[in-house]
C-alpha cells in the first residue's frame, strides 16, 4: 500500500487479498478439513469480518497462490485463531469494546473429542500441527517415554526417511534436541529432494565455522532458487560474510526474491571483499 511493487527495495505481494485488517494467522497442518485446505495459510481479517484460506505453491524462490473466504460474517470481528487437537479450527472475536466470543469450525463428520497420539517415534512423526502448544506436549511425552533411544531414533528418521519425514525429523530435532549438527545438515544439504536441502540450509544459519561457510557457498549455486535464497538468509543469520564473487551472479537472475536476498547479503560483506573483487575485475569501472 505504501510502496509500488516496482521499487527496487520492495517486494510484490505473494497473494493480493484486497483491503482488510489482519490479526491472527496460522497454517492448517491437520487432516480434519478436506484435502484442499491442508497446509493452507489461514488469515483473520478483523474489519471485513472473515477468515481467508490461502493455498500456496512454490514459485521459484518464493510462493504464489489463490485464496477464498473460509468463514465470513457481518459482523465477524475475528481477532485470533488456533487449530485444536481434533483438527477443528477455533477462533476468537472481539476487541475495541465490541462483543467477544469463541467459535469452532469443523468439517463433517463432527470430529472426535478425545485424540490419542501414542508414544513411539512414528507417533511423534505423525503428530499434526507441529508448532502448536499441544503438539509440543505430545512430542515431549514421546521423548520422555523413549528415554535414551530418542536421539538415535529421531536422527535415523532425519537421515533415512522420506523427504517429508526428513523435514519433519529436523523440525522436531530443532525444537526438542538434539540440535542438528553441522555434519548432519551438510549431508542433508546434498539430498536429492529440494525440500530437504532447503530446510537443512535454513538450519545451517544457526551454526558458524569454515565448514558452514563452505557448504553455504556451494548452495548459492544450487539448482533450486529456494535453496539459493535460504543460503543467502543463512549467511545473514549466522553473521558470517558470504563470498562476494558467489553472490554477484544472483543479482543478474530473473527471480526477484532471490535478487533481493542476495542484495541484503551483499550489504553485510566487508569492504575488503568488495575491493578485492573490483581490483581483480577485467573492468574495474
Amino acid at each position: 500500500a505504501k510502496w509500488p511493487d516496482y521499487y527496487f527495495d520492495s517486494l510484490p505481494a505473494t497473494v493480493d487479498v484486497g483491503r482488510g485488517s489482519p490479526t491472527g494467522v496460522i497454517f492448517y497442518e491437520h487432516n480434519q478439513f478436506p484435502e484442499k485446505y491442508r497446509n493452507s495459510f489461514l488469515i483473520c481479517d478483523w474489519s471485513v469480518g472473515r477468515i481467508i484460506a490461502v493455498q500456496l505453491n512454490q514459485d521459484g524462490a518464493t510462493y504464489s497462490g489463490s485464496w477464498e473466504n473460509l468463514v465470513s460474517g457481518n459482523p465477524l470481528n475475528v481477532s485470533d485463531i488456533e487449530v485444536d487437537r481434533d483438527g477443528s479450527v477455533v477462533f476468537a472475536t472481539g476487541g475495541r469494546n465490541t462483543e467477544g466470543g469463541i467459535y469452532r469450525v469443523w468439517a463433517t463428520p463432527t470430529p472426535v473429542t478425545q485424540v490419542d497420539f501414542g508414544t513411539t517415534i512414528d507417533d511423534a512423526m505423525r503428530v499434526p500441527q507441529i508448532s502448536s502448544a499441544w503438539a509440543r506436549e505430545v512430542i515431549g511425552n514421546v521423548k520422555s517415554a523413549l528415554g535414551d533411544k530418542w536421539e538415535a531414533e529421531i536422527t535415523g528418521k532425519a537421515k533415512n526417511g522420506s523427504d517429508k519425514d526428513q523435514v519433519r525429523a529436523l523440525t522436531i530435532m530443532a525444537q526438542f534436541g538434539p540440535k542438528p549438527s553441522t555434519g548432519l545438515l551438510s549431508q542433508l544439504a546434498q539430498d536429492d529432494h529440494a525440500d530437504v536441502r532447503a530446510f537443512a540450509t535454513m538450519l545451517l544459519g544457526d551454526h558458524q565455522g569454515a565448514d558452514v561457510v563452505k557448504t553455504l557457498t556451494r548452495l548459492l549455486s544450487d539448482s533450486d532458487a529456494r535453496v539459493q535464497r535460504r543460503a543467502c538468509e543463512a549467511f545473514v543469520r549466522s553473521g558470517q560474510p558470504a563470498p562476494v564473487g558467489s553472490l554477484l551472479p544472483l543479482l543478474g537472475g530473473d527471480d526477484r526474491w532471490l535478487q533481493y536476498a542476495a542484495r541484503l547479503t551483499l550489504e553485510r560483506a566487508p569492504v575488503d571483499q568488495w575491493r578485492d573483487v573490483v581490483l581483480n575485475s577485467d573492468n574495474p569501472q
Side-chain angles (χ1 to χ4, degrees):
K2 303 300 181 185
W3 288 355
D5 285 353
Y6 57 80
Y7 274 21
F8 177 75
D9 48 356
S10 178
L11 286 171
T14 301
V15 178
D16 190 344
V17 299
R19 63 171 290 272
S21 177
T23 48
V25 301
I26 197 167
F27 279 93
Y28 186 83
E29 299 172 319
H30 216 298
N31 51 30
Q32 204 279 322
F33 277 21
E35 181 69 31
K36 67 173 293 187
Y37 295 108
R38 297 174 191 176
N39 297 316
S40 291
F41 188 37
L42 304 184
I43 308 171
C44 298
D45 185 346
W46 191 89
S47 62
V48 177
R50 57 182 176 169
I51 299 174
I52 302 168
V54 182
Q55 286 82 38
L56 295 170
N57 300 297
Q58 185 187 350
D59 185 3
T62 185
Y63 294 86
S64 59
S66 58
W67 65 276
E68 63 179 272
N69 287 333
L70 179 67
V71 180
S72 61
N74 186 16
L76 189 71
N77 49 336
V78 56
S79 56
D80 207 355
I81 190 170
E82 185 57 88
V83 178
D84 206 349
R85 293 172 184 255
D86 58 15
S88 61
V89 168
V90 179
F91 66 90
T93 61
R96 297 190 178 181
N97 297 319
T98 60
E99 183 178 355
I102 298 179
Y103 301 87
R104 187 183 299 271
V105 181
W106 62 82
T108 54
T110 304
V112 296
T113 55
Q114 299 295 326
V115 182
D116 182 9
F117 292 107
T119 56
T120 69
I121 194 65
D122 288 331
D123 293 326
M125 295 288 291
R126 287 194 294 265
V127 174
Q129 214 62 38
I130 195 170
S131 297
S132 65
W134 58 262
R136 294 196 299 270
E137 176 188 358
V138 171
I139 296 174
N141 291 336
V142 173
K143 182 179 180 181
S144 296
L146 289 176
D148 295 339
K149 298 179 181 179
W150 166 263
E151 181 173 350
E153 293 197 14
I154 193 64
T155 304
K157 293 291 186 181
K159 290 181 177 180
N160 304 315
S162 66
D163 55 326
K164 292 183 178 179
D165 284 346
Q166 288 176 291
V167 171
R168 173 54 63 94
L170 288 175
T171 303
I172 294 173
M173 292 175 72
Q175 290 183 350
F176 294 90
K179 297 291 185 182
S181 66
T182 55
L184 174 61
L185 294 175
S186 296
Q187 175 186 340
L188 295 180
Q190 303 180 64
D191 195 88
D192 292 338
H193 295 92
D195 286 348
V196 178
R197 297 200 307 275
F199 200 81
T201 303
M202 180 184 71
L203 293 180
L204 278 170
D206 297 329
H207 298 267
Q208 292 185 333
D211 290 343
V212 174
V213 171
K214 181 179 179 180
T215 299
L216 291 179
T217 300
R218 175 180 57 80
L219 291 166
L220 290 174
S221 301
D222 194 89
S223 59
D224 188 277
R226 180 181 37 161
V227 176
Q228 293 176 293
R229 177 184 173 186
R230 292 278 177 88
C232 291
E233 295 166 346
F235 268 117
V236 172
R237 288 208 326 281
S238 69
Q240 301 178 116
V244 172
S246 299
L247 284 170
L248 290 177
L250 302 183
L251 298 177
D254 297 328
D255 193 305
R256 185 170 172 183
W257 291 75
L258 180 55
Q259 289 176 321
Y260 187 88
R263 180 176 65 82
L264 293 182
T265 310
L266 281 168
E267 289 177 358
R268 292 157 174 81
V271 174
D272 290 346
Q273 283 197 25
W274 281 102
R275 184 183 297 116
D276 292 342
V277 171
V278 171
L279 292 178
N280 293 326
S281 172
D282 295 333
N283 181 19
Q285 298 181 353

